[in-house]
Amino acid sequence: MRAPDRPDGNAEAPREAPVGPAEFGRGELTPRDAAEFRGLKRMIHKRAGLCCDGYKERVLRRRMAVRMRAKGVQTFGAYAALLKQDPAEYQRLIDTVTINVSKFFRNASTWVLLRDQVIPELWASNHERIRIWSAGSAAGEEAYSVAILLLQHAETHGPGIERFDILATDIDLDVLEQAKQAEYGPFVFTEMADPTRDRWFEGPKRNQLRSEVKKYVRFDTLDLMSAEFPAGQHLILCRNVLIYFEREVQHAMFKKFHAATAAGGFLQLGKVETLFGAPTGLYETVSARERLFRKV
Ligand SMILES: C[S@@+](CC[C@H](N)C(=O)[O-])C[C@H]1O[C@@H](n2cnc3c(N)ncnc32)[C@H](O)[C@@H]1O
């Protein structure tokens, strides 16, 4: 028999089939759990501004279950009640749902392609401004990796870097704050070569990004689910973000990315993401292996 889980201590009516949070990522929900889950999503949208509808339901349920276990509650309804009493928990929930793990030069082979093909082509172009957008940037690791590549390219190719404009956006205000500080823990360096780290980071732990790199990236908050996309992009990196979204949302986003891309511009997805469901004819594949596409 399920223990009472309402914060006021009153027992709830018995459920059709008791399921603990560990089960919420799997299988079907009971009608009651499903109704509570919908109510919780509405509440999070209204009170914390996070529209959960586009996220894959199983992923969302699993992530929420992480917080529910941490708080020792058994049902979505009990978690909703707890959120009302503990507003700080919203931020922890959002951090968990929008999981923001990143690394410098994550998936090295992708960065080799960007370094050897995309950046030289953009550099050689005659665009007055060359716009690069890291969408779902986490704490800036991806956008700063681009800035490092540009600085390294400038060493052999002379002037030109001033034409580049790198924008990094995320829904999560905390990670954007970390991005501006640009001081990192050891995890983010595991795919970065030591000489690169020595070159562009300083401080006793070599974990503070140098200001000469920082100055090339500007950060802004942007919810990919609801915001207008910044137009005229020559390279959009949206890696390891779309995997969390439902197919139809991905489909709509590919269209928006396409509209936001300048003629011939590139779209770089994450290693496990595909353009599946994207309206055909919008992009051509530059590298299927690296998930690099180009607007046609
Ligand atoms: C796993 S990280 C990916 C970071 C980086 N792009 C990479 O590949 O290393 C996913 C990021 O997407 C952000 N995100 C999740 N939902 C979002 C949304 N609706 N709008 C904008 N960013 C979102 C999260 O806050 C998180 O920082």
Side-chain angles (χ1 to χ4, degrees), residues 50-51 55 97-103 106 134-139 141-142 169-172 175 222-225 237-241 244-245 253:
L50 177 72
C51 173
Y55 290 91
V97 168
T98 63
I99 193 158
N100 34 44
V101 175
S102 189
K103 287 180 181 187
R106 181 180 194 177
S134 165
S137 63
E141 296 87 341
E142 183 176 270
T169 65
D170 203 281
I171 194 176
D172 186 330
V175 282
L222 185 146
D223 181 353
L224 289 166
M225 218 82 86
L237 302 108
C238 187
R239 303 164 68 224
N240 308 302
V241 182
Y244 304 121
F245 297 152
M253 254 175 225

Side-chain angles (χ1 to χ4, degrees), residues 150-161:
L150 291 176
L151 281 159
Q152 292 181 170
H153 196 83
E155 282 166 0
T156 45
H157 290 77
I161 195 167

Side-chain angles (χ1 to χ4, degrees), residues 123-151:
W123 196 281
S125 73
N126 51 17
H127 305 308
E128 225 168 274
R129 297 296 296 159
I130 303 167
R131 280 176 283 273
I132 298 179
W133 174 27
S134 165
S137 63
E141 296 87 341
E142 183 176 270
Y144 287 138
S145 297
V146 173
I148 288 172
L149 286 189
L150 291 176
L151 281 159

Side-chain angles (χ1 to χ4, degrees), residues 240 243 269-274 291:
N240 308 302
I243 33 167
L269 300 181
K271 267 291 225 210
V272 295
E273 292 160 325
T274 69
R291 311 296 205 257

Side-chain angles (χ1 to χ4, degrees), residues 33-257:
D33 284 328
E36 288 185 2
F37 178 63
R38 286 194 298 275
L40 180 58
K41 286 201 303 184
R42 274 196 303 276
M43 192 175 113
I44 293 167
H45 192 191
K46 197 161 152 228
R47 306 253 177 114
L50 177 72
C51 173
C52 300
D53 284 339
Y55 290 91
K56 285 182 184 154
E57 188 176 313
R58 297 265 157 101
V59 175
L60 194 60
R61 275 159 40 184
R62 266 202 308 277
R63 297 267 163 77
M64 284 180 174
V66 169
R67 289 309 311 152
M68 288 161 66
R69 274 199 297 276
K71 293 307 246 182
V73 296
Q74 298 292 314
T75 65
F76 292 117
Y79 188 62
L82 182 141
L83 276 169
K84 283 184 193 152
Q85 295 180 340
D86 180 3
E89 176 63 16
Y90 276 115
Q91 193 50 50
R92 289 188 285 270
L93 174 67
I94 288 169
D95 287 348
T96 309
V97 168
T98 63
I99 193 158
N100 34 44
V101 175
S102 189
K103 287 180 181 187
F104 283 91
F105 298 103
R106 181 180 194 177
N107 301 124
S109 53
T110 300
W111 291 95
V112 170
L113 186 63
L114 291 169
R115 182 195 68 195
D116 294 348
Q117 189 169 331
V118 177
I119 288 186
E121 186 183 318
L122 294 178
W123 196 281
S125 73
N126 51 17
H127 305 308
E128 225 168 274
R129 297 296 296 159
I130 303 167
R131 280 176 283 273
I132 298 179
W133 174 27
S134 165
S137 63
E141 296 87 341
E142 183 176 270
Y144 287 138
S145 297
V146 173
I148 288 172
L149 286 189
L150 291 176
L151 281 159
Q152 292 181 170
H153 196 83
E155 282 166 0
T156 45
H157 290 77
I161 195 167
E162 61 291 338
R163 291 183 300 150
F164 284 84
D165 173 38
I166 308 176
L167 169 68
T169 65
D170 203 281
I171 194 176
D172 186 330
L173 293 175
D174 282 351
V175 282
L176 289 172
E177 209 35 59
Q178 288 168 32
K180 288 177 198 159
Q181 302 300 321
E183 191 176 322
Y184 295 93
F187 175 78
V188 304
F189 296 112
T190 51
E191 293 196 46
M192 183 184 232
D194 276 348
T196 314
R197 182 169 174 184
D198 290 343
R199 179 80 199 281
W200 302 109
F201 289 82
E202 58 190 2
K205 295 187 191 158
R206 280 185 311 130
N207 66 341
Q208 174 67 62
L209 188 65
R210 290 182 179 276
S211 51
E212 60 192 287
V213 184
K214 282 168 74 175
K215 71 178 186 192
Y216 285 105
V217 182
R218 62 195 172 86
F219 291 93
D220 207 350
T221 168
L222 185 146
D223 181 353
L224 289 166
M225 218 82 86
S226 58
E228 295 262 305
F229 286 5
Q233 303 301 319
H234 297 96
L235 166 62
I236 297 176
L237 302 108
C238 187
R239 303 164 68 224
N240 308 302
V241 182
L242 298 176
I243 33 167
Y244 304 121
F245 297 152
E246 296 286 2
R247 274 272 159 84
E248 314 81 71
V249 178
Q250 294 187 8
H251 188 105
M253 254 175 225
F254 290 137
K255 279 192 179 166
K256 283 175 79 181
F257 280 135

